[in-house]
Structures are given as C-alpha cells and as structure tokens.
Amino acid sequence: MAQWTSAVGAAQLARLLNSQQDRPAGPGTRRPPAYRALADGIRLLVLEGRVPVAARLPAERELALSLSVSRTTVAAAYEALRTEGFLESRRGAGSWTAVPAGNPLPARGLEPLPPEALGSIIDLGCAALPAPEPWLTRAVQGALEELPPYAHTHGDYPAGLPALRSMIAERYTARGIPTMPEQIMVTTGAMGAIDAICHLFGGRGERIAVESPSYANILQLMREAGARLVPVAMAEGLSGWDMDRWRQVLREAAPRIAYVVADFHNPTGALADEDQRRRLVEAARSAGTVLVVDETMSELHLDPGLRMPRPVCGFDPAGSTVLTVGSASKAFWAGMRIGWVRAAPDVIRSLVAARAYADLGTPVLEQLAVNWLFSTGGWEEAVEVRRSQARENRDALVAAVRRELPGWEFEVPQGGLTLWVRTGGLSGSRLAEAGERVGVRVPSGPRFGVDGAFEGYVRLPFTVGGAVAEEAAARLAAAARLVESGASVGTESPRSFVA
C-alpha cells in the first residue's frame, strides 16, 4: 500500500525549486554538484513545510523534463534524499517525502517556539509580545468576580456573552460606525473568526483573493479549507494596495471572498489610506465578493501624532459587503484567545448557526476578562503600554539590522508588529535554515506568499528589544555569512546569551 497522502506535480515542484535563488557565488566559492543542489532544494521545501511530509514526488523523468536537467541528476538527488531520511520509496508506489527519525515534523504556518527552547534560540517567528501586567492579572480577577451567575448556566453562548457583544458594538459606535449587538459574534481568536467565515462563504474549490504577501497562518488555514487562492500583488514599500489591480482581479476572477489586512498589514506593515479603503469596498461590492477585513493590528499605531483612517467597515456600515474581524490577541496578549466578527445581522445568525457543528462557543472566563478590560478602561491603559513596548523594540531592531546587515532593505512601518525585509539577494529559505543552527528563528518570505513567491525576503517581528535585538541581528548576520559562502549549514554554534 502506498505511504503517501498527497502529491506534488512536476511543474509545481519546479516552480518552488526555481524560486530558491541564491546570490551568485564569489571568487573561490565552490558550487555543489547539480544533484546536491537539487537534493538540498527539496530538503528545504520539506523542512519549511512548503512540500508536505508524505507527499508523493514526481517521477524522475517528469521532474527532469520540468527542470531541464538530466534524469541521472534527479535520480542521484532522490538517492541522496533517501540516504538522509528525507525520501522513502517503494517499487510500484513511487517516492514520497519524509523526515529523519527524531526530527520534528515541519509546521506549515508560524507556530510559537516551545518555551523550553527559548534559552538557546531567539524566536523571531511569532509576532506576539508577553502579557501586559498587571492588567492581565486584574482582568482575570475581575472575571472571577463576575463568574458566579454564569456558572449556574450551561455555559454555551454560541454568539458570545451578551455583555461582551454589547461592549464591542459600543466600541464600533464610538469609532463612528453605528453597530448593534446583533451585528457581533464573539469567536475563539481571529483565526476562529476567519475559519468560520471561510466555511460559511468559501467551500472547497472556491476562489479567495488574498494580498501577496499575506499572513502565513491565514493562507494555510484557507489552503486546508480547500480554497483556491488568488494572489493580488502588493505595491512596493509601504504604499500597499494597487487598486487598479484589485479591481481587475475581483472583476475577472470573481472570488467569493477577499481577505485583506488594511491596518499595518502583516507582514509588510503598510497602512491603507481612506481612498484605498473606499475603492476596495466599491470593487468588492461590484464583483459580489465578500470582503473580510482583519483589524487585529489596528490599535498598534506606534508613531506619535499618526491619524488613523476610518475603518474599512465605515464605507459599508450595514455590513452587507464587509465582514470585520477583530481580536484581543495582538493588541493585548496572544494567550487571550478572544476574537469577534462584525457583519450584517443575517450573516451573524448564519455564522452562529454553523457554530453548532464546530466549537459551540468561546470560553466564558476569557470573555469576562476582556469585557472587564473594555468596561474599566484597563484595555486603553494596557494597549498604551503595548504600543510603547513595540515602539522601543521596533527602533532597537531597526538600528541593529541596519548596523549588522547594511545590504538588507526595508521601510519602517508606522505601526503593527512586523518588518518586511529584502535580504540582498539571499534565499530566505536558506537563511531560515542557517538561522536555526546559529540560534535565531526567522520565517522566510515564501511562507507569506503563494507557490514560491518572496524567496528573497524574511519577516522580522518587534518582539525583542535592547541587547536581545542586537544579538538577534548578529546571529542573522552569521546566518547570512553561511548562506553567502555556500558553507554547510551547521558549522557555527549559537553564542551564549542571557536575556
């Protein structure tokens, strides 16, 4: 019986491999044999999760034709992968990807680093900060005081606690967007909100338009839901959204859903202006596309005096075209898994009805904690501390990267938690692998794209500051030297570091 669970075609694998561009070799640098370079490329794709484990690879002849290399080269590469434990084969069943015994299975999104590994590796993979204290403790204590009446009920509130729905609606109304509690559903984080929306509106095989690049975990969520992703390229730098391109894609591809992060876009940090927001809503309405707007970064404006544009839902106040997703996870703490959807009441009713077959509801205690923050002013105090921390981290990381890696290019965003960096021609995938060996974990650009895009980028979050930011940049520079030299990854060890 075949041991593979999915398959990757020759043309698709060739596109992924061809995206792994390295800087041209310098004088005296020896390039590996063609079979070794091919084996290394496939191994990187497996380690990054861009080719799944247990995926059937194309036959040697098919891949050789797609790559314009000899079949002998492909056969030698496959044999090297088998020897190293990254490929298994059986006569009549073909060859499929694997990982050597003892290696962790690669994640296809951006999972947090296990806490036990934090002492030896600086984690730049997860764009999340520690909890702001004492507000977290106070919120939980306040929630416990409010809990007894709810403990006498069954505890299932598919739409969310009425008090929290009302509070979220009031906050939208205060921003100039009149909102009723019936327009709000509380979810288990923003991921839970978007998952529910995709299942209600998407369905397997439906097209979803996404910014390119976009948030890696959401892209993977949509892939696993069976969506066909339609990438819409972002403009260079922080200018963000090319509205002519968006209008064309929405008109010609007619996607059922479009997903955008208009407030400090993840990963680029771009901020859409009011004209872009208005035109995007108009284009979605004309195309009959549901526009899902991720507002999880909207409160993380870092530059003093920055005037935030009107929310995207302000151009569709009834919620018939725009579905807005918010969350406590980025602005407050990732461990506070409370999100919400703002939409038309009939959409909310449909989402709530579908929830009976999913998670039934969101934990009551956490909802009470967020409601306590909103109702006491604790939220505003905590978020102001969060902004100050993110601003200091951003400035420290920017200074350190400019000093250690002057050839890397980026623009400094006015808010959010991420820096999108062009790596001077180096492969982001190879940098990520080298970084793991020298003690810094960084996600490569292709995680944020569709089908191999953005190989020349990495994303750096504002999660470390001070001496840790300086050490992270130094370790990134060490990883870059390994990649530039063509040396075998693993020839350097992490320097000792105490935070």
Side-chain angles (χ1 to χ4, degrees):
M1 183 176 65
Q3 301 298 304
W4 49 273
T5 58
S6 62
V8 56
Q12 180 188 8
L13 184 57
R15 285 196 301 272
L16 291 169
L17 289 165
N18 288 332
S19 73
Q20 296 175 333
Q21 298 299 321
D22 280 325
R23 177 176 292 174
T29 300
R30 296 181 60 186
R31 285 200 172 278
Y35 85 89
R36 183 69 261 174
L38 176 55
D40 286 347
I42 295 174
R43 177 174 54 84
L44 273 175
L45 292 174
V46 174
L47 288 173
E48 281 215 317
R50 292 162 61 200
V51 169
V53 174
R56 186 180 187 275
L57 294 186
E60 295 170 2
R61 187 186 303 277
E62 295 173 2
L63 186 58
L65 287 172
S66 291
L67 292 173
S68 298
V69 299
S70 70
R71 183 178 177 182
T72 302
T73 296
V74 177
Y78 278 14
E79 180 57 33
L81 290 169
R82 278 190 287 269
T83 300
E84 295 161 8
F86 286 94
L87 197 69
E88 296 181 10
S89 303
R90 179 177 297 171
R91 185 178 298 277
S95 299
W96 56 92
T97 56
V99 293
N103 278 40
L105 286 176
R108 305 197 71 188
L110 301 179
E111 80 292 351
L113 190 69
E116 62 269 18
L118 292 176
S120 60
I121 296 180
I122 299 175
D123 186 11
L124 298 181
C126 186
L129 291 162
E133 287 288 24
W135 291 276
L136 175 61
T137 297
R138 290 175 181 172
V140 173
Q141 290 171 343
L144 287 172
E145 293 175 2
E146 298 292 332
L147 182 61
Y150 296 94
H152 294 293
T153 73
H154 50 61
D156 286 334
Y157 295 85
L161 294 184
L164 181 56
R165 296 178 73 197
S166 295
M167 184 60 67
I168 294 170
E170 289 177 16
R171 291 174 65 83
Y172 277 107
T173 300
R175 295 168 68 189
I177 317 297
T179 303
M180 304 178 295
E182 292 80 7
Q183 290 178 262
I184 302 296
M185 181 177 83
V186 180
T187 62
T188 307
M191 292 286 287
I194 294 169
D195 183 56
I197 292 168
C198 287
H199 280 89
L200 180 63
F201 289 98
R204 301 196 68 83
E206 289 281 3
R207 294 185 180 92
I208 300 180
V210 295
E211 297 144 329
S212 183
S214 187
Y215 179 34
N217 287 343
I218 294 296
L219 294 180
Q220 190 57 33
L221 181 155
M222 292 174 175
R223 291 187 188 102
E224 293 183 359
R228 298 162 60 192
L229 301 183
V230 182
V232 186
M234 296 283 285
E236 285 293 320
L238 297 178
S239 55
W241 293 260
D242 182 334
M243 294 318 305
D244 291 336
R245 186 176 294 160
W246 266 100
R247 186 175 293 277
Q248 179 183 1
V249 169
L250 295 180
R251 182 179 63 247
E252 295 179 357
R256 187 69 182 94
I257 299 172
Y259 169 76
V260 298
V261 186
D263 298 295
F264 309 120
H265 175 259
N266 187 352
T268 69
L271 176 65
D273 61 33
E274 290 209 2
D275 182 61
Q276 289 172 323
R277 295 166 188 241
R278 179 185 298 104
R279 293 175 63 190
L280 186 58
V281 173
E282 291 172 352
R285 184 181 292 119
S286 296
T289 296
V290 174
L291 184 60
V292 180
V293 179
D294 186 332
E295 280 193 338
T296 53
M297 296 282 191
S298 64
E299 296 197 57
L300 292 175
H301 42 89
L302 306 183
D303 288 354
L306 175 62
R307 184 176 179 272
M308 288 294 291
R310 192 170 11 153
V312 177
C313 59
F315 302 97
D316 179 49
S320 58
T321 296
V322 177
L323 277 61
T324 303
V325 172
S327 172
S329 297
K330 294 297 185 185
F332 187 76
W333 184 46
M336 188 69 78
R337 304 305 305 161
I338 298 296
W340 53 86
V341 180
R342 181 199 180 276
D346 62 316
V347 173
I348 294 298
R349 286 193 294 271
S350 296
L351 288 169
V352 171
R355 197 170 193 179
Y357 309 101
D359 63 356
L360 292 178
T362 301
V364 170
L365 189 62
E366 292 185 26
Q367 292 187 71
L368 288 172
V370 172
N371 192 60
W372 183 93
L373 289 165
F374 284 158
S375 61
T376 62
W379 177 269
E380 284 70 24
E381 295 174 3
V383 170
E384 187 54 46
V385 170
R386 173 68 80 230
R387 291 190 193 110
S388 177
Q389 185 180 13
R391 185 185 307 117
E392 291 176 3
N393 287 354
R394 178 194 65 180
D395 296 346
L397 185 66
V398 164
V401 172
R402 282 176 172 165
R403 181 176 61 253
E404 297 284 347
L405 294 150
W408 288 17
E409 303 171 47
F410 53 86
E411 291 190 38
V412 182
Q414 296 177 289
L417 288 172
T418 58
L419 195 68
W420 186 235
V421 181
R422 191 194 300 268
T423 56
L426 297 179
S427 161
S429 298
R430 296 182 188 279
L431 279 167
E433 184 188 34
E436 293 274 357
R437 305 304 180 96
V438 299
V440 60
R441 181 172 180 264
V442 58
S444 66
R447 288 185 177 272
F448 304 88
V450 176
D451 211 9
F454 308 110
E455 185 62 54
Y457 290 82
V458 294
R459 190 196 73 173
L460 306 180
F462 312 144
T463 52
V464 297
V468 186
E470 293 176 6
E471 179 67 16
R475 294 186 185 187
L476 284 173
R481 289 193 295 272
L482 284 178
V483 175
E484 283 183 308
S485 68
S488 297
V489 174
T491 58
E492 296 193 22
S493 300
R495 290 183 283 175
S496 60
F497 181 77
V498 178

